[in-house]
Amino acid sequence: MLNRLMILSVSLLLVFQTGLKAQVDLGPVQELILKEKFQEASKMLDGFIGEKPKNLDRVYFYLGQIAYLQEDFAGAKKFFETGLETKSKSPLNLAGMGMIKMKDQLYTDAYEFLEKAVSFAKGKDPEAAYAVADAYLEGGPQEIGEAKKILYQRRQSDEEDPRTYIKLGEYYKKQGVPELAIEELEKAIQKKADYVPAYVGLAELYYNRGKETRSGADFQTGYKYANKAIELNPDFGPAYRIRAELYLISQFPDKFERGKKDMEKYLSLQNNDEQAKVRYAQFLFLTEDYDNSLKAIGELESAGATNNVLRRLKGMALAEKGQLGPAQAALDDYFSKMDEKYRISQDYEVYGDILRMQGNLEKADEYYVEAMKRSDDRDGLFGEIADDYKGSAKSVEDEVKAIKAEANTFQGQAQTFYGEYQKIASMEAPTEEDAAKAADFRAKMDEAVAAGKAKLAEADAKSAEAKPFYLNEAHYRQKALEMADPVTLTHYRNLATSLYKAGKLDEADNAYQECNKLKADYWYPYKMRLRIAYAKENEDKETNSWYAKPVAEDIIKAFDGQHEGMKKSDLNSLLVAYEVLVNYNFNPTGEDGNYHCEDAQPWIDKIYGIDPNYARIKPISDYCADQK
């Protein structure tokens, strides 16, 4: 019996020792991921799988992390799940699954995974703490706050680890406070002066801020940090990549060439890693070199690349080139491969642009709404599109002004020639030579008049080109207003102005009225409504409709008796309002002899109480005075 027990024990020990492999060192893998050498890291990890090491679950976690960084979220999920099959209490893979659930906005499930990850890690695994923090940073405001708690705990347990400050920088970047993100990365450098990722992170923060500010100081500071990273580690590829991107916001005349040179260095250091090639294609896109960007994309496709980022980039580059059909097909391919919940705002914005350029505004608007949902931007995109149309209309108007200026030049020449002609024509006894000169001046005058008329006709034709732009502007001003929360005075004013310029006078008047519902003492809408009323009266002279009367009544309701201290232009508009009611009450039907001095007199008195010399009502005032 004893021998049997000993034999069994030895057998079990041999089985245990046979299945128990040493842990593999994953430090080099982490370094490769930091350097964005994803293919090399994946190859190394794939090699570890066959060895079945004790930390096999961590191997799968890093494979999932690499997939996640390349937006292959489905692939990342499979790796995390496999890691949990290998070790059900793997903190890293539980954190990975929590990140996937955060990305899917399944917050209850995410919390469950992440709480387990924290529980099983027992505060002993820094990598697990960072993985959990990364997962929370993928969530909403409440979840992002949880990331901060974990990172503060991590800092308390080891305040010398620069990675904690890097992650806190990510937290503040998510919060939209780049200044505090910069402070955290500067702390990382204070803790470890040669920590290259911190310098690269700072360079990237200044690049992102510089894109908005276009500040030379932001470029210079970011450039300094990128150079320091390269000085510390000339083989750290991401430092060259971010310096290349920084060149794009610089004032160097050869900035694209400098950037391209750095990106080529980046490619070389990455050993032509597929993701690095994608980054290169993206850089070419940012430089607006769409042909070479598409060429780089084509080479990647020929090599069998199946990257969703690449599919998106192809559609966007084709759209920028105006190849709308192929661009739409490329984005359709991307949409078919990328799960809807993982698509970003820009995907829908570009697809909307394609549909809009094809004239399908209604369908385009649906995509724009989806874009805004993903960017937490209620109406900004519609406002930006409206601004683009306004800019296009203004360009046309500027051309019209230039053409009219030429017409004025010809008119000036015609007047000059006419003056010379008149001098000779007024002579008592002009000579034959004088008569010839007069005929020449007359011919030149006629020629200049004809040229001037031709230019005015050209200006009218060109002016008509602005109307479609204003119509589209009005469409998107209306969409912005519908999406806005809250609706502001600016929304209605922008809408009203675009409608007015598009010739939609009734709609413009309604929008200006909405302005005054929000702010009754805002003068501009009243003035524009008067202008609209007079335009309609000029178009409708036969009916004597008195379009200006309700506008005048609204003005008087808002400002009657408040003329003291009023601006001159506003005071003039108030006087015009009184004048409208003088004219209406004096002769409401527009028929000769149908005059009502008694009804008109109160409004005459209002005007003279402000300006005794107001000339335009003098004929009516004098008539009524004679009737007394």
Side-chain angles (χ1 to χ4, degrees), residues 130-178:
Y130 294 134
V132 170
D134 283 339
Y136 277 121
L137 286 172
E138 290 289 271
Q142 180 178 331
E143 289 71 38
I144 291 172
E146 291 296 321
K148 183 181 180 182
K149 291 178 187 177
I150 288 171
L151 293 171
Y152 270 40
Q153 290 168 2
R154 176 66 197 144
R155 186 176 65 183
Q156 189 174 8
S157 63
D158 182 5
E159 63 179 29
E160 298 303 313
D161 189 339
R163 293 177 296 174
T164 305
Y165 303 96
I166 299 283
K167 298 294 183 184
L168 281 169
E170 286 295 316
Y171 162 77
Y172 284 115
K173 188 163 73 171
K174 289 273 186 178
Q175 293 285 61
V177 192

CSV table of all heavy atoms in Angstrom, one decimal, residues 130-178:
chain,number,residue,atom,x,y,z
A,130,TYR,N,-3.1,49.7,-14.1
A,130,TYR,CA,-3.1,50.5,-15.3
A,130,TYR,C,-4.1,50.0,-16.3
A,130,TYR,O,-4.8,50.8,-17.0
A,130,TYR,CB,-1.7,50.6,-15.9
A,130,TYR,CG,-0.6,51.2,-15.1
A,130,TYR,CD1,0.6,50.6,-14.9
A,130,TYR,CD2,-0.9,52.4,-14.4
A,130,TYR,CE1,1.6,51.2,-14.1
A,130,TYR,CE2,0.1,53.0,-13.6
A,130,TYR,CZ,1.3,52.4,-13.5
A,130,TYR,OH,2.2,53.0,-12.7
A,131,ALA,N,-4.2,48.7,-16.4
A,131,ALA,CA,-5.2,48.1,-17.4
A,131,ALA,C,-6.7,48.5,-16.9
A,131,ALA,O,-7.5,48.9,-17.8
A,131,ALA,CB,-5.1,46.6,-17.5
A,132,VAL,N,-6.9,48.5,-15.6
A,132,VAL,CA,-8.2,48.8,-15.1
A,132,VAL,C,-8.5,50.3,-15.4
A,132,VAL,O,-9.6,50.7,-15.8
A,132,VAL,CB,-8.4,48.5,-13.6
A,132,VAL,CG1,-9.6,49.1,-13.1
A,132,VAL,CG2,-8.4,47.0,-13.5
A,133,ALA,N,-7.5,51.1,-15.1
A,133,ALA,CA,-7.6,52.6,-15.3
A,133,ALA,C,-7.9,52.9,-16.8
A,133,ALA,O,-8.7,53.7,-17.2
A,133,ALA,CB,-6.3,53.3,-14.9
A,134,ASP,N,-7.1,52.2,-17.7
A,134,ASP,CA,-7.3,52.4,-19.1
A,134,ASP,C,-8.8,52.0,-19.5
A,134,ASP,O,-9.4,52.7,-20.3
A,134,ASP,CB,-6.4,51.5,-19.9
A,134,ASP,CG,-5.0,52.0,-20.0
A,134,ASP,OD1,-4.8,53.2,-19.8
A,134,ASP,OD2,-4.1,51.2,-20.3
A,135,ALA,N,-9.3,51.0,-18.9
A,135,ALA,CA,-10.7,50.6,-19.2
A,135,ALA,C,-11.7,51.7,-18.7
A,135,ALA,O,-12.6,52.1,-19.5
A,135,ALA,CB,-11.0,49.3,-18.5
A,136,TYR,N,-11.5,52.2,-17.5
A,136,TYR,CA,-12.4,53.2,-17.1
A,136,TYR,C,-12.3,54.5,-17.9
A,136,TYR,O,-13.3,55.2,-18.1
A,136,TYR,CB,-12.1,53.6,-15.6
A,136,TYR,CG,-12.8,52.6,-14.6
A,136,TYR,CD1,-12.0,51.9,-13.7
A,136,TYR,CD2,-14.1,52.5,-14.6
A,136,TYR,CE1,-12.6,51.0,-12.8
A,136,TYR,CE2,-14.7,51.6,-13.7
A,136,TYR,CZ,-14.0,50.9,-12.8
A,136,TYR,OH,-14.6,50.0,-11.9
A,137,LEU,N,-11.1,54.8,-18.4
A,137,LEU,CA,-11.0,56.0,-19.3
A,137,LEU,C,-11.8,55.9,-20.6
A,137,LEU,O,-11.9,56.9,-21.3
A,137,LEU,CB,-9.5,56.2,-19.6
A,137,LEU,CG,-8.7,56.7,-18.4
A,137,LEU,CD1,-7.2,56.7,-18.8
A,137,LEU,CD2,-9.1,58.2,-18.0
A,138,GLU,N,-12.2,54.7,-20.9
A,138,GLU,CA,-13.0,54.5,-22.1
A,138,GLU,C,-14.5,54.8,-21.9
A,138,GLU,O,-15.3,54.7,-22.8
A,138,GLU,CB,-12.9,53.1,-22.7
A,138,GLU,CG,-11.5,52.7,-23.3
A,138,GLU,CD,-11.3,53.5,-24.6
A,138,GLU,OE1,-11.6,52.9,-25.6
A,138,GLU,OE2,-10.8,54.6,-24.6
A,139,GLY,N,-14.9,55.0,-20.7
A,139,GLY,CA,-16.3,55.2,-20.3
A,139,GLY,C,-16.7,56.7,-20.3
A,139,GLY,O,-16.1,57.5,-20.9
A,140,GLY,N,-17.8,56.9,-19.6
A,140,GLY,CA,-18.4,58.3,-19.5
A,140,GLY,C,-17.7,59.0,-18.4
A,140,GLY,O,-16.8,58.6,-17.7
A,141,PRO,N,-18.3,60.2,-18.0
A,141,PRO,CA,-17.7,61.1,-17.0
A,141,PRO,C,-17.5,60.3,-15.6
A,141,PRO,O,-16.5,60.5,-15.0
A,141,PRO,CB,-18.7,62.2,-16.9
A,141,PRO,CG,-19.4,62.3,-18.2
A,141,PRO,CD,-19.4,60.9,-18.7
A,142,GLN,N,-18.6,59.6,-15.2
A,142,GLN,CA,-18.5,58.8,-14.0
A,142,GLN,C,-17.3,57.8,-14.0
A,142,GLN,O,-16.6,57.7,-13.0
A,142,GLN,CB,-19.8,58.2,-13.6
A,142,GLN,CG,-19.8,57.4,-12.3
A,142,GLN,CD,-21.1,56.8,-12.0
A,142,GLN,OE1,-22.2,57.3,-12.4
A,142,GLN,NE2,-21.1,55.7,-11.3
A,143,GLU,N,-17.2,57.1,-15.1
A,143,GLU,CA,-16.2,56.0,-15.2
A,143,GLU,C,-14.8,56.7,-15.3
A,143,GLU,O,-13.9,56.1,-14.7
A,143,GLU,CB,-16.5,55.2,-16.5
A,143,GLU,CG,-17.7,54.3,-16.4
A,143,GLU,CD,-19.0,55.1,-16.4
A,143,GLU,OE1,-19.1,56.1,-17.2
A,143,GLU,OE2,-19.9,54.7,-15.7
A,144,ILE,N,-14.7,57.8,-15.9
A,144,ILE,CA,-13.4,58.5,-16.0
A,144,ILE,C,-12.9,58.9,-14.6
A,144,ILE,O,-11.8,58.8,-14.3
A,144,ILE,CB,-13.5,59.7,-17.0
A,144,ILE,CG1,-13.6,59.2,-18.4
A,144,ILE,CG2,-12.2,60.5,-16.9
A,144,ILE,CD1,-13.9,60.3,-19.4
A,145,GLY,N,-13.9,59.2,-13.8
A,145,GLY,CA,-13.6,59.6,-12.4
A,145,GLY,C,-13.1,58.4,-11.6
A,145,GLY,O,-12.2,58.5,-10.7
A,146,GLU,N,-13.6,57.2,-11.9
A,146,GLU,CA,-13.1,56.0,-11.3
A,146,GLU,C,-11.6,55.7,-11.7
A,146,GLU,O,-10.8,55.2,-10.8
A,146,GLU,CB,-13.9,54.8,-11.7
A,146,GLU,CG,-15.3,54.8,-11.2
A,146,GLU,CD,-15.4,54.7,-9.6
A,146,GLU,OE1,-14.6,53.9,-9.1
A,146,GLU,OE2,-16.2,55.3,-9.0
A,147,ALA,N,-11.3,56.1,-12.9
A,147,ALA,CA,-9.9,55.9,-13.3
A,147,ALA,C,-9.0,56.8,-12.5
A,147,ALA,O,-7.9,56.3,-12.1
A,147,ALA,CB,-9.7,56.3,-14.8
A,148,LYS,N,-9.4,58.0,-12.2
A,148,LYS,CA,-8.6,58.9,-11.4
A,148,LYS,C,-8.3,58.3,-10.0
A,148,LYS,O,-7.2,58.4,-9.5
A,148,LYS,CB,-9.3,60.2,-11.3
A,148,LYS,CG,-8.5,61.3,-10.5
A,148,LYS,CD,-9.3,62.6,-10.4
A,148,LYS,CE,-8.5,63.6,-9.6
A,148,LYS,NZ,-9.3,64.9,-9.4
A,149,LYS,N,-9.4,57.7,-9.4
A,149,LYS,CA,-9.2,57.1,-8.0
A,149,LYS,C,-8.2,56.0,-8.1
A,149,LYS,O,-7.3,55.9,-7.2
A,149,LYS,CB,-10.6,56.5,-7.6
A,149,LYS,CG,-11.6,57.5,-7.3
A,149,LYS,CD,-12.9,56.8,-6.9
A,149,LYS,CE,-14.1,57.7,-6.7
A,149,LYS,NZ,-15.4,57.0,-6.4
A,150,ILE,N,-8.2,55.1,-9.1
A,150,ILE,CA,-7.3,54.0,-9.2
A,150,ILE,C,-5.8,54.6,-9.4
A,150,ILE,O,-4.9,54.1,-8.8
A,150,ILE,CB,-7.7,53.1,-10.3
A,150,ILE,CG1,-8.9,52.3,-9.9
A,150,ILE,CG2,-6.5,52.1,-10.7
A,150,ILE,CD1,-9.5,51.5,-11.0
A,151,LEU,N,-5.7,55.6,-10.2
A,151,LEU,CA,-4.4,56.1,-10.5
A,151,LEU,C,-3.8,56.8,-9.2
A,151,LEU,O,-2.6,56.8,-9.0
A,151,LEU,CB,-4.4,57.1,-11.7
A,151,LEU,CG,-4.7,56.3,-13.0
A,151,LEU,CD1,-5.0,57.3,-14.1
A,151,LEU,CD2,-3.5,55.4,-13.4
A,152,TYR,N,-4.7,57.5,-8.5
A,152,TYR,CA,-4.2,58.1,-7.2
A,152,TYR,C,-3.8,57.1,-6.2
A,152,TYR,O,-2.8,57.3,-5.5
A,152,TYR,CB,-5.4,59.0,-6.6
A,152,TYR,CG,-5.4,60.4,-7.1
A,152,TYR,CD1,-5.1,60.7,-8.5
A,152,TYR,CD2,-5.7,61.5,-6.3
A,152,TYR,CE1,-5.2,62.0,-8.9
A,152,TYR,CE2,-5.7,62.8,-6.7
A,152,TYR,CZ,-5.4,63.0,-8.0
A,152,TYR,OH,-5.4,64.3,-8.5
A,153,GLN,N,-4.5,56.0,-6.2
A,153,GLN,CA,-4.1,54.9,-5.3
A,153,GLN,C,-2.7,54.3,-5.7
A,153,GLN,O,-1.8,54.0,-4.9
A,153,GLN,CB,-5.1,53.7,-5.3
A,153,GLN,CG,-6.4,54.1,-4.6
A,153,GLN,CD,-7.5,53.1,-4.9
A,153,GLN,OE1,-7.3,52.1,-5.6
A,153,GLN,NE2,-8.7,53.4,-4.4
A,154,ARG,N,-2.6,54.2,-7.0
A,154,ARG,CA,-1.3,53.7,-7.6
A,154,ARG,C,-0.2,54.6,-7.3
A,154,ARG,O,0.9,54.2,-6.9
A,154,ARG,CB,-1.5,53.5,-9.1
A,154,ARG,CG,-0.2,53.0,-9.8
A,154,ARG,CD,0.2,51.7,-9.4
A,154,ARG,NE,1.6,51.4,-9.8
A,154,ARG,CZ,2.5,50.8,-9.1
A,154,ARG,NH1,2.1,50.2,-8.0
A,154,ARG,NH2,3.7,50.6,-9.6
A,155,ARG,N,-0.4,55.9,-7.4
A,155,ARG,CA,0.6,56.9,-7.1
A,155,ARG,C,1.0,56.9,-5.6
A,155,ARG,O,2.2,57.0,-5.3
A,155,ARG,CB,0.1,58.3,-7.4
A,155,ARG,CG,1.2,59.4,-7.3
A,155,ARG,CD,0.6,60.7,-7.8
A,155,ARG,NE,-0.4,61.2,-6.9
A,155,ARG,CZ,-1.1,62.3,-7.1
A,155,ARG,NH1,-0.8,63.1,-8.2
A,155,ARG,NH2,-2.0,62.7,-6.3
A,156,GLN,N,0.0,56.6,-4.8
A,156,GLN,CA,0.3,56.5,-3.3
A,156,GLN,C,1.2,55.3,-3.0
A,156,GLN,O,2.0,55.4,-2.1
A,156,GLN,CB,-1.0,56.5,-2.6
A,156,GLN,CG,-0.9,56.6,-1.0
A,156,GLN,CD,-2.2,56.7,-0.4
A,156,GLN,OE1,-3.3,56.4,-1.0
A,156,GLN,NE2,-2.2,57.0,0.9
A,157,SER,N,1.0,54.2,-3.7
A,157,SER,CA,1.8,53.0,-3.4
A,157,SER,C,3.2,53.1,-4.0
A,157,SER,O,4.1,52.5,-3.5
A,157,SER,CB,1.0,51.8,-3.9
A,157,SER,OG,0.9,51.8,-5.3
A,158,ASP,N,3.3,53.8,-5.1
A,158,ASP,CA,4.6,54.0,-5.8
A,158,ASP,C,4.7,55.3,-6.5
A,158,ASP,O,4.4,55.4,-7.7
A,158,ASP,CB,4.9,52.8,-6.7
A,158,ASP,CG,6.3,52.9,-7.3
A,158,ASP,OD1,7.1,53.8,-7.0
A,158,ASP,OD2,6.6,52.0,-8.2
A,159,GLU,N,5.0,56.4,-5.8
A,159,GLU,CA,5.0,57.7,-6.4
A,159,GLU,C,6.2,57.9,-7.4
A,159,GLU,O,6.2,59.0,-8.1
A,159,GLU,CB,5.0,58.8,-5.4
A,159,GLU,CG,6.2,58.9,-4.5
A,159,GLU,CD,6.1,60.0,-3.5
A,159,GLU,OE1,5.0,60.3,-3.1
A,159,GLU,OE2,7.1,60.5,-3.1
A,160,GLU,N,7.1,57.0,-7.5
A,160,GLU,CA,8.2,57.2,-8.4
A,160,GLU,C,8.0,56.6,-9.8
A,160,GLU,O,8.7,56.8,-10.7
A,160,GLU,CB,9.5,56.5,-7.8
A,160,GLU,CG,9.9,57.0,-6.5
A,160,GLU,CD,10.2,58.5,-6.6
A,160,GLU,OE1,10.9,59.0,-7.5
A,160,GLU,OE2,9.7,59.3,-5.7
A,161,ASP,N,6.9,55.8,-10.0
A,161,ASP,CA,6.6,55.2,-11.3
A,161,ASP,C,6.1,56.3,-12.2
A,161,ASP,O,5.0,56.8,-12.0
A,161,ASP,CB,5.6,54.1,-11.1
A,161,ASP,CG,5.4,53.2,-12.4
A,161,ASP,OD1,5.8,53.7,-13.5
A,161,ASP,OD2,4.9,52.1,-12.3
A,162,PRO,N,6.8,56.6,-13.3
A,162,PRO,CA,6.4,57.6,-14.2
A,162,PRO,C,5.1,57.3,-15.0
A,162,PRO,O,4.4,58.2,-15.5
A,162,PRO,CB,7.6,57.8,-15.1
A,162,PRO,CG,8.3,56.5,-15.1
A,162,PRO,CD,8.1,56.0,-13.7
A,163,ARG,N,4.8,56.0,-15.1
A,163,ARG,CA,3.7,55.6,-15.9
A,163,ARG,C,2.4,56.1,-15.3
A,163,ARG,O,1.4,56.4,-16.0
A,163,ARG,CB,3.6,54.1,-16.0
A,163,ARG,CG,4.8,53.5,-16.8
A,163,ARG,CD,4.7,52.0,-16.8
A,163,ARG,NE,4.9,51.4,-15.5
A,163,ARG,CZ,4.8,50.1,-15.2
A,163,ARG,NH1,4.5,49.3,-16.1
A,163,ARG,NH2,5.0,49.7,-14.0
A,164,THR,N,2.3,56.2,-13.9
A,164,THR,CA,1.1,56.8,-13.3
A,164,THR,C,0.8,58.2,-13.7
A,164,THR,O,-0.3,58.5,-14.0
A,164,THR,CB,1.3,56.8,-11.7
A,164,THR,OG1,1.7,55.5,-11.3
A,164,THR,CG2,0.1,57.2,-11.0
A,165,TYR,N,1.9,59.0,-13.9
A,165,TYR,CA,1.7,60.4,-14.3
A,165,TYR,C,1.3,60.4,-15.8
A,165,TYR,O,0.5,61.3,-16.2
A,165,TYR,CB,2.9,61.2,-14.0
A,165,TYR,CG,3.3,61.1,-12.6
A,165,TYR,CD1,4.3,60.2,-12.1
A,165,TYR,CD2,2.7,61.9,-11.6
A,165,TYR,CE1,4.6,60.1,-10.8
A,165,TYR,CE2,3.0,61.8,-10.3
A,165,TYR,CZ,4.0,60.9,-9.9
A,165,TYR,OH,4.3,60.8,-8.5
A,166,ILE,N,1.8,59.5,-16.6
A,166,ILE,CA,1.4,59.4,-18.0
A,166,ILE,C,-0.1,59.1,-18.1
A,166,ILE,O,-0.9,59.8,-18.8
A,166,ILE,CB,2.1,58.3,-18.7
A,166,ILE,CG1,3.6,58.5,-18.7
A,166,ILE,CG2,1.6,58.1,-20.1
A,166,ILE,CD1,4.1,59.6,-19.7
A,167,LYS,N,-0.6,58.2,-17.2
A,167,LYS,CA,-2.0,57.8,-17.2
A,167,LYS,C,-2.9,59.0,-16.7
A,167,LYS,O,-4.0,59.2,-17.2
A,167,LYS,CB,-2.2,56.5,-16.4
A,167,LYS,CG,-1.5,55.3,-16.9
A,167,LYS,CD,-2.1,54.8,-18.3
A,167,LYS,CE,-1.4,53.6,-18.7
A,167,LYS,NZ,-1.8,53.2,-20.1
A,168,LEU,N,-2.4,59.7,-15.7
A,168,LEU,CA,-3.1,60.8,-15.2
A,168,LEU,C,-3.2,61.9,-16.3
A,168,LEU,O,-4.2,62.6,-16.4
A,168,LEU,CB,-2.5,61.4,-13.9
A,168,LEU,CG,-2.8,60.6,-12.7
A,168,LEU,CD1,-1.9,61.0,-11.5
A,168,LEU,CD2,-4.3,60.7,-12.2
A,169,GLY,N,-2.2,62.0,-17.1
A,169,GLY,CA,-2.2,62.9,-18.2
A,169,GLY,C,-3.3,62.5,-19.2
A,169,GLY,O,-4.1,63.4,-19.7
A,170,GLU,N,-3.5,61.2,-19.4
A,170,GLU,CA,-4.6,60.7,-20.2
A,170,GLU,C,-5.9,61.1,-19.6
A,170,GLU,O,-6.9,61.5,-20.3
A,170,GLU,CB,-4.5,59.2,-20.4
A,170,GLU,CG,-3.4,58.7,-21.4
A,170,GLU,CD,-3.7,59.2,-22.8
A,170,GLU,OE1,-4.8,59.1,-23.2
A,170,GLU,OE2,-2.7,59.7,-23.4
A,171,TYR,N,-6.0,61.0,-18.3
A,171,TYR,CA,-7.3,61.3,-17.6
A,171,TYR,C,-7.6,62.8,-17.8
A,171,TYR,O,-8.7,63.1,-18.2
A,171,TYR,CB,-7.1,61.1,-16.1
A,171,TYR,CG,-8.1,61.8,-15.2
A,171,TYR,CD1,-9.4,61.3,-15.1
A,171,TYR,CD2,-7.8,63.0,-14.6
A,171,TYR,CE1,-10.4,62.0,-14.4
A,171,TYR,CE2,-8.7,63.6,-13.8
A,171,TYR,CZ,-10.0,63.1,-13.7
A,171,TYR,OH,-11.0,63.8,-13.0
A,172,TYR,N,-6.7,63.7,-17.7
A,172,TYR,CA,-7.0,65.1,-17.8
A,172,TYR,C,-7.2,65.5,-19.3
A,172,TYR,O,-8.0,66.4,-19.6
A,172,TYR,CB,-5.8,66.0,-17.3
A,172,TYR,CG,-5.8,66.0,-15.8
A,172,TYR,CD1,-4.8,65.5,-15.0
A,172,TYR,CD2,-6.9,66.6,-15.1
A,172,TYR,CE1,-4.9,65.5,-13.6
A,172,TYR,CE2,-7.0,66.7,-13.7
A,172,TYR,CZ,-5.9,66.1,-13.0
A,172,TYR,OH,-6.0,66.2,-11.6
A,173,LYS,N,-6.6,64.7,-20.2
A,173,LYS,CA,-6.9,64.9,-21.6
A,173,LYS,C,-8.3,64.6,-21.9
A,173,LYS,O,-9.0,65.3,-22.7
A,173,LYS,CB,-5.9,64.1,-22.5
A,173,LYS,CG,-6.0,64.4,-24.0
A,173,LYS,CD,-4.7,63.9,-24.7
A,173,LYS,CE,-4.7,62.4,-24.9
A,173,LYS,NZ,-3.7,62.0,-25.8
A,174,LYS,N,-8.8,63.5,-21.4
A,174,LYS,CA,-10.2,63.0,-21.5
A,174,LYS,C,-11.1,64.1,-20.9
A,174,LYS,O,-12.2,64.3,-21.4
A,174,LYS,CB,-10.4,61.7,-20.8
A,174,LYS,CG,-9.8,60.5,-21.5
A,174,LYS,CD,-10.7,59.9,-22.6
A,174,LYS,CE,-10.1,58.7,-23.2
A,174,LYS,NZ,-11.0,58.1,-24.2
A,175,GLN,N,-10.7,64.7,-19.9
A,175,GLN,CA,-11.5,65.7,-19.2
A,175,GLN,C,-11.5,67.1,-19.9
A,175,GLN,O,-12.2,68.0,-19.6
A,175,GLN,CB,-11.0,66.0,-17.8
A,175,GLN,CG,-11.2,64.8,-16.8
A,175,GLN,CD,-12.6,64.6,-16.4
A,175,GLN,OE1,-13.5,64.4,-17.2
A,175,GLN,NE2,-12.9,64.8,-15.1
A,176,GLY,N,-10.7,67.2,-21.0
A,176,GLY,CA,-10.6,68.4,-21.8
A,176,GLY,C,-9.8,69.5,-21.1
A,176,GLY,O,-10.0,70.7,-21.3
A,177,VAL,N,-8.8,69.1,-20.3
A,177,VAL,CA,-8.0,70.1,-19.6
A,177,VAL,C,-6.5,69.8,-19.9
A,177,VAL,O,-5.8,69.2,-19.1
A,177,VAL,CB,-8.2,70.0,-18.0
A,177,VAL,CG1,-7.5,71.2,-17.4
A,177,VAL,CG2,-9.6,69.9,-17.7
A,178,PRO,N,-6.1,70.2,-21.1
A,178,PRO,CA,-4.7,69.8,-21.6
A,178,PRO,C,-3.6,70.4,-20.7
A,178,PRO,O,-2.5,69.9,-20.6
A,178,PRO,CB,-4.6,70.4,-23.0
A,178,PRO,CG,-5.7,71.4,-23.1
A,178,PRO,CD,-6.8,70.9,-22.2
